[in-house]
Amino acid sequence: MLLKVRSESDELMAMRYLNMRMELTEKEKFHYLNLEKGYEGEVKFDRLAESLQQEVYIINDLLLEVNNSYFQIDTLIISQGVIHLLDIKNFQGDCYLESDKLYAVTTHREYKNPVDQLKRSATLYRQLLQNLKQNYLVEAYVIFINPEFTLYQAPLNQPIILPTQVNRFLKDLNNTPSKLNDGHKKLAQKLISLHQTNNPFTALPKYNYDQLQEGIYCKNCKSFLISIKNYDLVCGKCGCHEKVELAILRNIEEFKLLFPDRKITTQDIYNWCKLDLNRRTFCRVLKKNYSAYGNTSDTYYK
Ligand SMILES: [Zn+2]
């Protein structure tokens, strides 16, 4: 049973928006594409995990804190006898392990070894269980989900599940009888309640409003070539239609995520959307979908 669904992190969403509206440096772009790829891999694993028939709890995307240390768990599966802590990696291409370090075969570029990170998370997680006076067996694995990934020189005793082993891993899990009780449920609820929403690992580039391209881009093909027909925005590139109100709302949500500290005014959103529409339209959309604060001359919305 899926108890906590996965969605794109704020970091990934913000990077997506920034990538559309400013020139990212090579390094920032690399970071952004890694986030996209990582998320894609996690979603792929989620689909495979949907096939599990046994009674298990699946909790995705947990960010926990224990003794002032934060750690992330991509997927946590609670079954009767064991808790699986899974880190999903969507690496592609050929890599090799040498003295616990991970390198790409062609470039010899070193990557962070995900097993180190996993071991840290598992240790912290066991501490957390101890603090909660819970006694469960914990098994932690890095799952390499991408079928185009090969790992050379992987020692046999590493907590690694290779692309060719993912199906078997799930099959084994599915063949292990599991009945959950109240204790499992309480633990799952407790873990979800401990989930932290402010992620200290978030690394956004520095940006300010003036650096960003204003306007609304097509929700489908991301083109800024937008015109207005009746109550629709029409994309000049792919022809996709979107209701004006929905497009404005989409752009307001972008604004909110990119500028969390700014008060949202009609003028802000008017500038931000840069559409050939009367200011009253933006005011109406804001009034309808958000709560108004302040007095008439400086109303802002939340
Ligand atoms: Zn389009």
Side-chain angles (χ1 to χ4, degrees):
M1 188 204 258
L2 183 59
L3 292 187
K4 184 172 176 294
V5 296
R6 190 184 310 283
S7 59
E8 287 102 327
S9 64
D10 283 354
E11 183 183 21
L12 172 55
M13 294 305 284
M15 287 304 284
R16 260 187 207 168
Y17 302 155
L18 291 176
N19 181 50
M20 283 303 302
R21 297 180 185 276
M22 66 185 266
E23 204 62 55
L24 296 178
T25 64
E26 204 61 31
K27 210 175 148 198
E28 289 159 356
K29 188 122 190 173
F30 183 76
H31 174 61
Y32 161 57
L33 292 176
N34 268 339
L35 290 176
E36 285 286 8
K37 227 171 147 197
Y39 182 69
E40 197 184 290
E42 289 160 13
V43 169
K44 204 163 154 195
F45 181 80
D46 293 346
R47 288 214 196 96
L48 296 175
E50 275 171 17
S51 66
L52 289 174
Q53 304 286 321
Q54 290 292 340
E55 250 179 47
V56 297
Y57 289 135
I58 301 179
I59 306 174
N60 290 321
D61 259 346
L62 267 181
L63 175 64
L64 299 169
E65 191 237 304
V66 59
N67 311 334
N68 288 320
S69 299
Y70 284 83
F71 62 105
Q72 280 172 294
I73 303 172
D74 290 340
T75 304
L76 189 115
I77 303 180
I78 300 178
S79 52
Q80 187 179 335
V82 55
I83 297 177
H84 282 98
L85 207 142
L86 307 176
D87 197 24
I88 319 293
K89 290 288 172 214
N90 197 10
F91 291 10
Q92 213 174 330
D94 298 339
C95 285
Y96 63 95
L97 271 172
E98 201 170 85
S99 5
D100 274 342
K101 292 198 158 107
L102 184 70
Y103 302 93
V105 167
T106 45
T107 58
H108 301 289
R109 183 198 176 111
E110 189 189 335
Y111 292 103
K112 263 192 205 153
N113 186 348
V115 171
D116 293 341
Q117 200 188 328
L118 178 84
K119 282 182 180 159
R120 177 183 176 272
S121 299
T123 304
L124 289 168
Y125 183 72
R126 288 189 181 101
Q127 267 178 39
L128 178 69
L129 286 184
Q130 238 172 38
N131 295 352
L132 297 172
K133 302 202 167 38
Q134 300 279 344
N135 192 16
Y136 284 95
L137 182 65
V138 177
E139 283 185 20
Y141 295 102
V142 174
I143 296 193
F144 289 100
I145 190 84
N146 197 316
E148 309 268 321
F149 175 73
T150 301
L151 184 61
Y152 291 100
Q153 297 172 198
L156 287 173
N157 60 357
Q158 293 284 310
I160 286 174
I161 300 197
L162 295 168
T164 47
Q165 301 170 320
V166 176
N167 281 334
R168 206 177 337 139
F169 169 76
L170 287 166
K171 218 164 142 188
D172 285 349
L173 203 59
N174 220 9
N175 288 335
T176 312
S178 169
K179 286 269 171 259
L180 298 176
N181 60 33
D182 226 36
H184 295 107
K185 190 174 180 182
K186 284 206 176 106
L187 173 64
Q189 284 167 343
K190 183 72 192 170
L191 291 172
I192 291 171
S193 77
L194 290 175
H195 174 66
Q196 308 282 315
T197 43
N198 276 337
N199 193 334
F201 301 116
T202 299
L204 291 180
K206 286 208 179 356
Y207 60 91
N208 59 49
Y209 185 90
D210 297 328
Q211 277 171 281
L212 303 187
Q213 182 174 352
E214 297 163 324
I216 294 186
Y217 50 81
C218 168
K219 63 171 180 172
N220 182 39
C221 76
K222 317 277 184 237
S223 162
F224 276 98
L225 277 176
I226 294 286
S227 58
I228 301 170
K229 241 182 227 162
N230 301 324
Y231 295 102
D232 280 358
L233 292 194
V234 182
C235 173
K237 199 171 164 198
C238 77
C240 172
H241 282 237
E242 187 179 19
K243 288 264 164 276
V244 165
E245 181 172 340
L246 293 180
I248 293 175
L249 282 174
R250 184 162 60 82
N251 235 36
I252 295 173
E253 286 305 310
E254 271 197 33
F255 186 89
K256 273 174 62 182
L257 186 66
L258 291 175
F259 305 102
D261 300 327
R262 264 177 86 150
K263 286 179 174 172
I264 297 172
T265 65
T266 304
Q267 185 63 40
D268 282 337
I269 297 307
Y270 175 78
N271 294 339
W272 178 241
C273 293
K274 228 181 173 183
L275 288 172
D276 190 15
L277 286 171
N278 197 297
R279 209 170 302 236
R280 273 188 315 227
T281 308
F282 299 95
C283 187
R284 188 173 46 75
V285 172
L286 280 164
K287 264 199 184 126
K288 189 174 154 195
N289 296 282
Y290 298 87
S291 308
Y293 296 86
N295 54 39
T296 356
S297 60
D298 62 349
T299 308
Y300 63 95
Y301 298 87
K302 271 191 215 169

